[in-house]
């Protein structure tokens, strides 16, 4: 039988998705974190993987989904948070704009699954299913223990609705502290105002928010500070800019801060702008600020060069004590080893050039 005659839509999907296969899974599992360091991988959107010298593996906002796949009827659900926010009805054209870089079902170990909030691009039923059905973590004595699912109340409600047992879930709110091996996770206030406009129903029976005092943010979203052997990493989820970042910056020593950056369409405020990212970093008094989330949606995609331009324009007169780091999805960042880097570039390869005999007609053709 010819190769072409064997080809089907299903065989094509299985042979090409996820686009990176198990490459990144192997990279994460094989990397040995040096003492006094913390390794991080960007998995797209705000999804991040953290690994420490003590063998802690923690995911925050790991998400395995996509955006729009069809025009449908061209209408947004009337109770979608962005419809609630700005009164729009036309379909949001949010197509996923980056490759999917992991195979979530190929991982063999994780010690905790964290979510900053319950929006669909920050939680994964696929990841939850794999974690539940696999023995993926052990205690200090090598005994298998259940992997905890950690998040605010609404995230826990979502996991439970999907089938995660209640006893596997840990509801957190600002002020809570959780220890996972050699990582201490401090839960802090979120400033995700899109979450405030999120209703339980997205249909015509949506809750009427007009004229009501907003619901408690602490039930819907949190930020995390991960205290690791390599430094303190601040994950702001989908937070907008808030002057209360300055309070977090005074209360905690923050080395690296992640902020959700995007180019907001007219009539919408869902992501931090370039100046918001710089203000967040200044308020947090961090050493490195890393824009994330700009990669994933076609209708919110932003250019990090804008941050660099404003940073260079303002850094001297404002005496910034931080610098930006511009990451790539699937890339590894090790702190403090990589603390002075500004740009990430995937490994270029060919390090062993001319170490083995060549097969060429003559050298002058090179």
């Amino acid at each position: 039988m010819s190769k072409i005659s064997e080809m089907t839509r299903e065989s094509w999907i299985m042979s090409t998705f996820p686009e990176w296969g198990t490459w990144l899974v192997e990279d994460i599992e094989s990397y040995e974190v040096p003492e006094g360091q913390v390794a991080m991988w960007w998995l797209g959107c705000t999804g991040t993987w953290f690994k420490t010298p003590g063998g802690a593996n923690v995911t925050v906002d790991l998400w395995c989904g996509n955006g729009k796949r069809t025009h449908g009827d061209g209408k947004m659900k009337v109770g979608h948070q962005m419809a609630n926010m700005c009164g729009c009805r036309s379909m949001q054209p949010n197509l996923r704009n980056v490759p999917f870089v992991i195979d979530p079902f190929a991982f063999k170990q994780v010690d905790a699954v964290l979510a900053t909030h319950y929006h669909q691009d920050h939680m994964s039923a696929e990841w939850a299913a794999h974690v539940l059905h696999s023995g993926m973590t052990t205690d200090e004595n090598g005994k298998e223990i259940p992997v905890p699912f950690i998040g605010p109340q609404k995230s826990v409600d979502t996991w439970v609705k999907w089938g995660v047992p209640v006893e596997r879930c840990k509801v957190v709110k600002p002020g809570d502290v959780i220890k996972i091996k050699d990582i201490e996770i401090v839960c802090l206030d979120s400033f995700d105002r899109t979450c405030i406009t999120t209703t339980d129903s997205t249909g015509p029976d949506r809750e009427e928010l007009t004229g009501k005092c907003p619901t408690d943010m602490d039930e819907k979203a949190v930020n995390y500070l991960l205290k690791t052997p390599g430094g303190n990493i601040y994950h702001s989820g989908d937070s907008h800019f808030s002057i209360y970042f300055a309070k977090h910056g005074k209360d905690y020593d923050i080395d690296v801060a992640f902020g959700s950056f995007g180019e907001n369409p007219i009539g919408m405020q869902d992501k931090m702008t370039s100046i918001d990212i710089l203000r967040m970093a200044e308020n947090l008094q961090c050493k490195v600020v890393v824009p994330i989330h700009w990669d994933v949606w076609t209708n919110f995609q932003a250019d990090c060069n804008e941050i660099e331009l404003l940073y260079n324009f303002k850094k001297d007169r404002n005496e910034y004590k931080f610098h930006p780091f511009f990451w790539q999805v699937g890339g590894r960042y090790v702190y403090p080893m990589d603390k002075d880097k500004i740009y990430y570039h995937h490994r270029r390869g060919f390090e062993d050039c001319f170490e083995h005999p060549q097969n060429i007609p003559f050298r002058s053709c090179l």
Side-chain angles (χ1 to χ4, degrees):
M1 184 178 292
S2 69
K3 188 177 183 66
I4 289 177
S5 65
E6 294 175 348
M7 287 294 170
T8 64
R9 181 175 184 273
E10 288 69 28
S11 68
W12 164 66
I13 291 172
M14 293 302 295
S15 65
T16 59
F17 186 82
E19 291 92 333
W20 285 25
T22 59
W23 177 279
L24 188 56
V25 175
E26 296 165 25
D27 186 49
I28 293 172
E29 291 187 338
S30 64
Y31 186 73
E32 295 186 9
V33 185
E35 291 299 321
Q37 306 284 328
V38 57
M40 298 162 265
W41 288 263
W42 186 19
L43 307 179
C45 197
T46 66
T48 43
W49 189 293
F50 297 89
K51 188 174 183 179
T52 66
N57 284 274
V58 171
T59 66
V60 178
D61 286 2
L62 192 157
W63 166 63
C64 304
N66 46 43
K68 295 297 182 293
R69 293 166 58 87
T70 172
H71 286 271
D73 63 2
K75 299 295 183 183
M76 187 183 296
K77 293 180 179 179
V78 296
H80 187 278
Q81 59 266 19
M82 293 183 181
N84 290 340
M85 184 183 293
C86 72
C88 61
R89 290 294 180 268
S90 295
M91 178 75 74
Q92 181 194 179
N94 59 324
L95 297 152
R96 183 165 185 146
N97 204 40
V98 293
F100 192 71
V101 294
I102 62 167
D103 180 349
F105 293 93
F107 283 103
K108 301 180 184 67
Q109 181 186 353
V110 73
D111 298 294
V113 176
L114 278 67
T116 59
H117 64 294
Y118 65 117
H119 284 159
Q120 63 95 11
D121 53 342
H122 298 263
M123 297 180 66
S124 168
E126 298 85 357
W127 181 229
H130 179 57
V131 171
L132 277 181
H133 298 145
S134 306
M136 300 187 72
T137 189
T138 57
D139 62 17
E140 61 274 11
N141 299 315
K143 179 183 178 182
E144 185 177 313
I145 57 176
V147 177
F149 291 76
I150 300 167
Q153 183 65 62
K154 287 290 189 178
S155 292
V156 167
D157 291 345
T158 301
W159 279 317
V160 171
K161 181 176 67 176
W162 287 344
V164 178
V166 174
E167 61 271 17
R168 295 286 294 271
C169 297
K170 170 68 176 175
V171 176
V172 293
K173 61 185 183 304
D176 290 342
V177 178
I178 296 174
K179 185 80 171 176
I180 305 290
K181 292 184 176 176
D182 54 348
I183 295 181
E184 184 176 273
I185 301 165
V186 181
C187 304
L188 298 171
D189 314 81
S190 169
F191 314 112
D192 184 357
R193 290 184 282 278
T194 305
C195 246
I196 288 297
T197 66
T198 302
T199 50
D200 289 342
S201 172
T202 58
D205 61 338
R206 66 178 185 174
E207 178 187 358
E208 182 56 55
L209 300 175
T210 305
K212 289 187 178 181
C213 185
T215 53
D216 192 347
M217 177 75 85
D218 297 347
E219 294 181 359
K220 292 188 168 189
V222 294
N223 292 352
Y224 293 113
L225 181 69
L226 290 86
K227 296 183 175 181
T228 78
N232 296 336
I233 317 300
Y234 185 95
H235 197 301
S236 66
D238 264 358
S239 287
H240 299 150
F241 176 75
S242 169
I243 59 171
Y244 208 77
F245 280 134
K247 174 70 166 134
H248 291 173
K250 285 192 170 186
D251 288 347
Y252 300 97
D253 183 17
I254 299 170
D255 293 293
V256 180
F258 300 151
S260 284
F261 168 53
E263 185 66 43
N264 294 293
I266 293 173
M268 179 50 54
Q269 178 64 46
D270 187 56
K271 300 290 177 284
M272 281 192 274
T273 65
S274 52
I275 194 62
D276 291 335
I277 292 291
L278 297 180
R279 290 185 71 198
M280 179 191 77
E282 188 177 26
N283 278 259
L284 289 174
Q285 301 181 57
C286 63
K287 298 178 179 67
V288 180
V289 64
V290 185
I292 54 176
H293 212 320
W294 56 266
D295 63 300
V296 72
W297 296 131
T298 52
N299 61 327
F300 278 88
Q301 189 182 21
D303 190 338
C304 288
N305 287 334
E306 183 181 328
I307 296 175
E308 183 180 32
L309 183 71
L310 283 172
Y311 174 79
N312 289 329
F313 180 77
K314 298 169 73 69
K315 66 179 181 180
D316 294 324
R317 79 175 66 185
N318 285 3
E319 299 183 346
Y320 285 158
K321 302 298 190 297
F322 67 90
H323 68 80
F325 172 66
F326 302 116
W327 219 351
Q328 290 290 327
V329 174
R332 181 176 67 221
Y333 181 65
V334 182
Y335 194 86
M337 183 188 304
D338 296 332
K339 64 181 177 63
D340 295 324
K341 288 186 176 181
I342 302 295
Y343 299 99
Y344 179 85
H345 197 298
H346 291 290
R347 177 179 160 228
R348 300 179 71 192
F350 303 99
E351 297 89 351
D352 61 343
C353 61
F354 301 112
E355 292 181 7
H356 302 279
Q358 300 163 262
N359 182 20
I360 57 174
F362 37 81
R363 284 195 296 273
S364 60
C365 73
L366 300 177

